Amino acid sequence: MTDSKYFTTTKKGEIFELKAELNSDKKEKKKEAVKKVIASMTVGKDVSALFPDVVNCMQTDNLELKKLVYLYLMNYAKSQPDMAIMAVNTFVKDCEDPNPLIRALAVRTMGCIRVDKITEYLCEPLRKCLKDEDPYVRKTAAVCVAKLHDINAQLVEDQGFLDTLKDLISDSNPMVVANAVAALSEIAESHPSSNLLDLNPQSINKLLTALNECTEWGQIFILDCLANYMPKDDREAQSICERVTPRLSHANSAVVLSAVKVLMKFMEMLSKDLDYYGTLLKKLAPPLVTLLSAEPELQYVALRNINLIVQKRPEILKHEMKVFFVKYNDPIYVKLEKLDIMIRLASQANIAQVLAELKEYATEVDVDFVRKAVRAIGRCAIKVEQSAERCVSTLLDLIQTKVNYVVQEAIVVIKDIFRKYPNKYESVIATLCENLDSLDEPEARAAMIWIVGEYAERIDNADELLESFLEGFHDESTQVQLQLLTAIVKLFLKKPTETQELVQQVLSLATQDSDNPDLRDRGYIYWRLLSTDPVAAKEVVLAEKPLISEETDLIEPTLLDELICYIGTLASVYHKPPSAFVEGGRGVVHKSLPPRTASSESAESPETAPTGAPPGEQPDVIPAQGDLLGDLLNLDLGPPVSGPPLATSSVQMGAVDLLGGGLDSLMGDEPEGIGGTNFVAPPTAAVPANLGAPIGSGLSDLFDLTSGVGTLSGSYVAPKAVWLPAMKAKGLEISGTFTRQVGSISMDLQLTNKALQVMTDFAIQFNRNSFGLAPAAPLQVHAPLSPNQTVEISLPLSTVGSVMKMEPLNNLQVAVKNNIDVFYFSTLYPLHILFVEDGKMDRQMFLATWKDIPNENEAQFQIRDCPLNAEAASSKLQSSNIFTVAKRNVEGQDMLYQSLKLTNGIWVLAELRIQPGNPSCTLSLKCRAPEVSQHVYQAYETILKN
Amino acid sequence: MIGGLFIYNHKGEVLISRVYRDDIGSRQAADSAVFSSSGPFPGEWLEANRRNAVDAFRVNVIHARQQVRSPVTNIARTSFFHVKRSNIWLAAVTKQNVNAAMVFEFLYKMCDVMAAYFGKISEENIKNNFVLIYELLDEILDFGYPQNSETGALKTFITQQGIKSQHQTKEEQSQITSQVTGQIGWRREGIKYRRNELFLDVLESVNLLMSPQGQVLSAHVSGRVVMKSYLSGMPECKFGMNDKIVIEKQGKGTADETSKSGKQSIAIDDCTFHQCVRLSKFDSERSISFIPPDGEFELMRYRTTKDIILPFRVIPLVREVGRTKLEVKVVIKSNFKPSLLAQKIEVRIPTPLNTSGVQVICMKGKAKYKASENAIVWKIKRMAGMKESQISAEIELLPTNDKKKWARPPISMNFEVPFAPSGLKVRYLKVFEPKLNYSDHDVIKWVRYIGRSGIYETRC
């Protein structure tokens, strides 16, 4: 008997024919008709008009017919709610049927009919079925609760089905347990706050027992549920892991992956010193490799997950490079993923093999794959220094193939290699230049232009090459335009004589003829720079570039941790959190890895350093500014530039010969040749007037000054406080304090790298501040800062920087740059670092000054809990450059008259009254600048109490 | 969980469509479809809703011009998982963050179940059995959660006749339900055979990637132990093989045995088991014990990478003579006991796309140039161990101005040998049935080893 004939009836009036057949007396004919209806439904015809006729066929003892009618009902009940009621009676009756298969069928189907009126009738049968004697009915009813919850959550709660469902977790039948777990997990997802699953050691034990007995699918439900559990300590985590590991040998890949998820998550809690930890690591590798012999679709899922696992715990698969070698017949999606993992696993030990493979792949057919392979060669060069030379020669070989996209891709990666190993492989430039004409992709063109600009002095015809690109300037993409602009400016700075025309041309193209604001602004910046201070321009444009980091495209650590919690699921396939692709509230609960427990904390401190300090005590981190600000900072971070702000003069310069004088200094020996050059100033008035002005003025508006005085507490040299938490600075943590020793002030910094990548190229800059504090030397971090490494640096400070009154007075705003980004924070410095050594005033002078300063400038403070005698206090203060000028004893009280001088020459006079036996003393301060008094008082307090 | 399951033919027409969840398809799109149509039936809204997802997949994947770039596609926040069997597409659809591995495992399982019921998965078979498929889909997927999908269990109550239910006794019914939900869902009670017999097939596929210079780049064996059991009652079985870990563990007691069998033991990188095997017991004692399903099933899969016997070596020599001629010489050497015979040997030597003519000379077997496959196919029926054979070919090329070089795909090989290239040996398979009166000795056991080529490639 074949059913395919039902697909072929397409003639008109079919509905009426079907109607007649459905109402036929003959059972066989009825069944045939229902089949036809279902077939029509499948191919997308609307057969809802037959609803009453089909429902009439429901009362039958033929199970097959019944199932067909149910199928129809599920499809159309929603569009015919009133008619659907007609079916209720049959359902209710079927739920009482002696045959458990029919009872289950009825309750299963009823749950699929999403009509409110029906759900009311569903409750009673469902309640009975949840307690049915037959496990088949119970397991079906368990899922039905989830269905009902999806239609009417309130109803499920009111009817107490959730409790019944929870009871089913203790059911004797493993499949009932599994379905109950699945249903509860789903319901819990839509109520993230409710403690619905209420996992505790007892229930976990039940689940682990059921795990050994239920179907493969049930095992997945249970493992996925277990992964949400948070063991209370490492012991519990270990015992769960021990019971989950046997699942790694299951034939079903999903069971394996879900088990891997549980293990990866709970491993977080195990100490790395534990033997078991090592055993577990070893146990994880083989099953992951086995997943690669599954069907291609599953391989793809596995590879996407392995990609995450390799990033989280590279040690697991570090010896398994070979299994990721691409097979000729792998589907393209498997090939691309394998390639990605190969690069992640590449190391000095296996680089020769990897390179040989990559070279092989670069000759394959699929364009995407070949490109990625070429790119991979470049990444190997950057990752494994020893291999760089071989990589470069491989790339050159590939360029010789003249295959267009291979050449372009190779040039893009060679650019990166130049960035990583400057002055090493430039000999290949000639070969690259030969291929200029074949470049038709923006990225490759931009890379080539960058190379020409960067090495303009070694390329004889650099100007010709760049000029050839300039011809079609407006047809290029922005990326190429920007690069061309920079490259020509570089060229000009290196070979000013021959290239003036070119640079003028590109500047006017960029500023006048382009409507792209980025391009225009960059054009203006260069123009201004060149016209006002070519030396500065040289410093800026030809500045040494930071080396590029080794690992690119790593997933950000917090996202990685979240994705580890989603191993096996779609999120791990997309490498995106569920919220990025799931609509509404479902499944978007943010998951995170468990923290390490106390017993293992000693071994693993950096990740778990307490970050929960009271918020008031932490210096505020200025939120990331716009890109423009960052760019500007990037430009002139470095040794502090003294002298007048660059652009204050730029506005009135108008049409004057802008480069005139400046060029002399640039070229030294041939001054007369350039004098006549006429640089026409940028024509519009839209030039930002204070382009070169210290960034501070811009920044200060943005700063929100809410720091507390937390940094002041502590000893004479306050202990280091965290100024910039790692969370706010992409993994860089900065703590520090200020010291003053023999007349020099320094800022003692401790930089910790809590990110995954190496940090290099540190630089620091201060905003203008009340006392002109500025770094006296560049920030010297000699070696790159590798992950989890900490360096201590003492940064000497001067007080000759530009001054701007801050609020509070001792506020200091700092920008720190590294290869990743620029970060901002502000901190308060204790005023005593500004007390100079020659602050002792002559007695006469003291008296005169004291009288001279008006009384309203006097401020009085109480210093409590300071049980020091006059002697001790005096010597303590003296070591901080607060000098005692005179001492008197009045009515049993010691009066100390003291003076101090600030770095900017402000004198502060003080009278300190100490009563023996009384722990608090009184401080009177007189100063011509009364606003410092408060801070001097704080300095006193700090010094005396430590 | 899975929101819906669709089966399409190669043209993208829907053959089967089963929706489990309402969220499939976007509502706005569905609404607009209803309002734009002239005479909206009430059912059309829902229909349009569903159609939307169905069509999205057809347009974006089946009719996509490009090769499939991923088996998972996200279209308008809806994820589509697909597998293809011959020219039939199976697609599972969801809007949630489902367990992706589970969905694919389910789709494969679905294919297995369908194949077990009506053979090859083809458009014709699916149309002929659509009622059955709907019935199966109703049973093995509930609200998108996979349920018991063991064909053995399913066949007891979902039949193509569909009338069995009327004749079932109460005991039969409860037997069915306990089997479907029970601990041993894969076997029913009360099976009886006059002759208790079992067959074990050790089927291995040996995979190799070799460089032109004869260096092994990667090699592994993926093996399967397939068992066919015709045993009465609920037999408790224990399977033993020359697993290095087990042998060494036992060897501790008797040094004698270690020296005898230690050499022949093999290191298994990893293995996975049919769900009947007690995994916790394997984990703790490394013993493989189980109650087998009736009939044929795959007991275990394993993978080895150490000490593999590579049955053949391929030595290629490709020489370019000018721009229009290639000379190819390939030698194959068999590397196993001379008393054994390899069969169905096939060597496939790829040729460039611009090949105009080929002359082949081979010492043994038959060789032919197949233009449609861009390859020279050399077939040898039988070859004993430790032998060597050679083929040489001259390939004439058409001059082309194609800049791209020929990618030189690897030379691949197919064969079948009567031993296990991994070295795996079955040591025992013990059967205990405490309730019935037959013992291990009464069971007739057959063991067979077959080694086949997997991806067996040599670069040239």
Side-chain angles (χ1 to χ4, degrees), chain A residues 42 114 136 186 253 290, chain B residues 21-22 105 134 139 145 270:
Chain A
T42 299
R114 305 173 56 87
Y136 183 77
E186 179 170 342
S253 310
T290 298
Chain B
R21 303 223 169 194
D22 259 8
E105 283 284 2
Y134 276 123
E139 185 59 43
Y145 290 106
D270 189 38

Side-chain angles (χ1 to χ4, degrees), chain A residues 4 42 44 46 61 67 78 114 134 136 147 179 186 217 224 249 253 286 290 297 368 568 570-571 574, chain B residues 15 21-22 41 51 69 79 97-98 100 105 108 128 134-135 139 142 145 147 149 166 177 270 272-273:
Chain A
S4 59
T42 299
D46 185 9
D61 46 5
K67 281 181 178 172
K78 207 161 185 182
R114 305 173 56 87
D134 194 290
Y136 183 77
K147 292 178 187 168
N179 275 4
E186 179 170 342
W217 315 113
D224 283 353
S249 311
S253 310
T290 298
E297 291 88 1
D368 283 352
L570 266 179
Y574 294 146
Chain B
L15 303 178
R21 303 223 169 194
D22 259 8
F41 275 106
R51 286 285 135 191
R69 301 311 266 193
S79 299
N97 182 30
V98 297
E105 283 284 2
Y108 302 143
N128 282 341
Y134 276 123
E135 204 174 328
E139 185 59 43
D142 191 4
Y145 290 106
Q147 305 292 306
S149 49
Q166 282 124 26
T177 59
D270 189 38
T272 58
F273 296 99

Side-chain angles (χ1 to χ4, degrees), chain A residues 436-464:
Chain A
L436 220 54
D437 300 333
S438 62
L439 310 180
D440 54 10
E441 288 160 25
E443 200 181 357
R445 286 174 83 86
M448 192 63 221
I449 292 170
W450 182 87
I451 293 172
V452 174
E454 188 69 15
Y455 298 99
E457 68 273 25
R458 306 186 199 195
I459 305 172
D460 294 334
N461 59 343
D463 48 343
E464 283 169 35

Side-chain angles (χ1 to χ4, degrees), chain A residues 744-797:
Chain A
S744 56
I745 309 169
S746 55
M747 186 176 195
D748 290 348
L749 290 169
Q750 179 177 319
L751 308 181
T752 308
N753 181 354
K754 293 192 173 176
L756 281 179
Q757 66 182 107
V758 174
M759 294 180 177
T760 54
D761 311 309
F762 288 95
I764 194 164
Q765 199 175 47
F766 293 175
N767 190 14
R768 289 193 293 180
N769 54 69
S770 316
F771 295 92
L773 279 176
L779 189 60
Q780 298 280 349
V781 181
H782 292 291
L785 196 57
S786 21
N788 278 332
Q789 196 192 341
T790 297
V791 284
E792 307 251 1
I793 305 145
S794 182
L795 178 73
L797 303 183

